[in-house]
Amino acid sequence: MAQILHEKDSVRLRKVLVQLLARSESDDCLLCDSGGHVLALEGASKHDPFLISALGAGIFGASRELARMLGENEFSAVLHQGEHRSIFLRAVDADTLLVMIFSRSANVGLVKLYSTPAVDDLRQILADIQHGPSVPGPEDSRPFVLSPDAQLFSLRKE
Amino acid sequence: MSFVNFKKKEVQFKLVYYGPGLCGKTTNLQVIHRLINPEARGDLTSIATAGERTLFFDFMPLVANAIEGFQTRFQLYTVPGQVMYNLTRRMVLRGVDGVVFVADSQWSKMSENVESFANLEENLRLQSETLQTLPHVLQYNKRDLPDVAPVHFMEFMLNNGAVRQSSFPAVATTGEGVFEALNMVARLVLHKFMTVHNRKEEGACELALV
């Protein structure tokens, strides 16, 4: 089964991330699932969101196992602090992760503080998506079609 | 599981290269990275030990023009093959859409192949997935080495289910059998996605994040 994010849900998720970005003075905010898929992204940096998502999901999965070993349900957040940039990962629900990247001009306390209401909002939106009625737009309900010139992967031309 | 973002017009799939230690999973990704059209790929990221053994996973995103009106992304992962890293393999398998099982063709590695294949089945079972419904192909690697088992023997050992899967003899270091396996698993994943999604659209549109 596919995870499907319709346009109206993307807009709701984006609104939360935009607000979080502004309040916390972070560079990037990214929402990903435990499989490493990027659900939503806001920010202007040049980091590859797909790589951040893959590694973030990996880090969080590893920390969850460490928590389990120590008898905790989970570590709800992980902070990697660097000299110039830091990354803060926080669980939204059992399968979704919020990743925030911020520079040293941002305050780590504010990042943590503002992530709390944002996570609550995101959790609510994800619950609405999972349990709410389906109202896809007309564009969203068209069947998928393979491209007539569909090319998968081929060798580079010498 | 695949992820569709209608706003960004993007579909994401996750492909995992699985197999025993030193069978050539990372080599597959390295060769794809080296030989594929550069516009179709991102960077290859490896988290390895000092001895170049995969510690966590390798990761490389690929982009294909496969679904009309959508950018189609295939995220390629490998798992660490060493037996002790089973928790990491489970983690990497989460949300998988397709698997390339890389087997080492050497006679001496046959029991490790079988063990790894059983480990794949067990780890999938733990996430309520099964090879009977998950798109997958087999790649019999290292065919250039001496003392390799015949392909029909490898089929007997690894490809003996009710439905015979596609399999590819390969020499990953040269690229032989690498793109064939990648393209086949990508096609199988796309076919399953089209079948499941379009069937659902014919009935009620179900919105789900599960």
Side-chain angles (χ1 to χ4, degrees):
Chain A
M1 188 186 294
Q3 290 184 345
I4 296 175
L5 197 61
H6 290 293
E7 187 157 348
K8 69 179 178 63
D9 304 311
S10 285
V11 171
R12 289 180 71 195
L13 292 174
R14 181 169 180 262
K15 197 173 161 187
V16 176
L17 295 187
V18 166
Q19 193 175 46
L20 175 59
L21 206 62
R23 282 179 167 175
S24 65
E25 299 177 356
S26 300
D27 299 331
D28 296 283
C29 291
L30 184 150
L31 195 65
C32 67
D33 70 9
S34 59
H37 294 310
V38 180
L39 275 62
L41 164 74
E42 282 302 320
S45 78
K46 292 174 182 168
H47 305 111
D48 178 355
F50 296 98
L51 180 56
I52 291 172
S53 179
L55 292 173
I59 289 167
F60 213 76
S63 79
R64 187 167 279 163
E65 284 302 325
L66 282 171
R68 200 178 54 80
M69 281 172 58
L70 299 181
E72 291 287 329
N73 279 339
E74 65 172 11
F75 295 137
S76 60
V78 177
L79 173 68
H80 293 281
Q81 202 153 9
E83 193 180 338
H84 301 290
R85 280 181 192 281
S86 302
I87 186 163
F88 180 65
L89 303 101
R90 185 159 181 170
V92 176
D93 60 26
D95 199 47
T96 318
L97 182 65
L98 172 68
V99 182
M100 300 169 70
I101 297 171
F102 55 98
S103 65
R104 64 178 172 184
S105 64
N107 183 316
V108 65
L110 289 182
V111 169
K112 288 180 177 177
L113 178 70
Y114 286 120
S115 71
T116 302
V119 161
D120 290 341
D121 292 345
L122 292 168
R123 193 181 294 124
Q124 184 59 53
I125 296 168
L126 293 172
D128 290 348
I129 292 169
Q130 189 169 359
H131 302 298
S134 170
V135 192
E139 287 291 310
D140 297 356
S141 56
R142 285 189 313 190
F144 289 101
V145 179
L146 278 179
S147 297
D149 57 345
Q151 284 187 353
L152 288 174
F153 308 111
S154 53
L155 298 175
R156 69 163 86 192
K157 294 184 177 73
E158 294 300 334
Chain B
M1 88 197 62
S2 50
F3 175 69
V4 184
N5 188 328
F6 277 96
K7 184 165 175 58
K8 289 187 73 181
K9 301 289 178 207
E10 184 178 85
V11 185
Q12 298 172 37
F13 297 106
K14 180 173 184 176
L15 305 181
V16 174
Y17 282 70
Y18 209 96
L22 296 173
C23 68
K25 302 176 290 293
T26 300
T27 306
N28 264 270
L29 261 63
Q30 287 169 337
V31 167
I32 292 166
H33 186 263
R34 195 174 76 229
L35 298 180
I36 201 170
N37 183 358
E39 284 107 56
R41 60 141 166 92
D43 292 337
L44 170 60
T45 302
S46 294
I47 304 174
T49 64
E52 297 296 307
R53 301 292 302 272
T54 302
L55 176 66
F56 209 24
F57 54 72
D58 308 301
F59 172 79
M60 181 171 61
L62 298 180
V63 181
N65 170 30
I67 300 174
E68 214 170 82
F70 286 80
Q71 186 169 54
T72 315
R73 290 183 175 276
F74 289 87
Q75 323 280 34
L76 272 54
Y77 291 76
T78 67
V79 296
Q82 295 177 83
V83 173
M84 60 185 170
Y85 294 135
N86 196 39
L87 280 177
T88 310
R89 283 194 290 279
R90 277 186 206 160
M91 215 164 62
V92 174
L93 273 179
R94 289 194 76 165
V96 64
D97 294 298
V99 168
V100 177
F101 185 83
V102 183
D104 188 325
S105 295
Q106 297 175 93
W107 280 111
S108 58
K109 300 289 184 180
M110 216 49 65
S111 62
E112 287 178 43
N113 290 330
V114 172
E115 191 181 331
S116 177
F117 197 80
N119 175 254
L120 168 62
E121 289 179 310
E122 169 65 10
N123 284 338
L124 287 172
R125 193 183 59 77
L126 291 173
Q127 59 177 51
S128 304
E129 188 62 87
T130 163
L131 283 177
Q132 276 153 19
T133 50
L134 182 74
H136 67 286
V137 300
L138 295 107
Q139 184 192 65
Y140 303 140
N141 194 21
K142 306 195 184 187
R143 300 305 302 173
D144 56 331
L145 295 186
D147 205 26
V148 296
V151 167
H152 64 81
F153 182 79
M154 301 201 66
E155 293 276 273
F156 172 71
M157 295 298 287
L158 299 168
N159 198 5
N160 52 18
V163 178
R164 189 70 65 89
Q165 305 299 324
S166 296
S167 61
F168 303 89
V171 182
T173 47
T174 65
E176 183 186 332
V178 169
F179 279 81
E180 292 87 340
L182 171 64
N183 279 311
M184 179 54 80
V185 77
R187 281 194 194 98
L188 292 173
V189 165
L190 283 168
H191 181 262
K192 183 180 177 187
F193 173 77
M194 296 285 176
T195 306
V196 171
H197 186 86
N198 290 346
R199 187 170 55 211
K200 199 191 301 174
E201 291 298 340
E202 282 170 15
C205 292
E206 183 184 339
L207 184 64
L209 255 174
V210 289

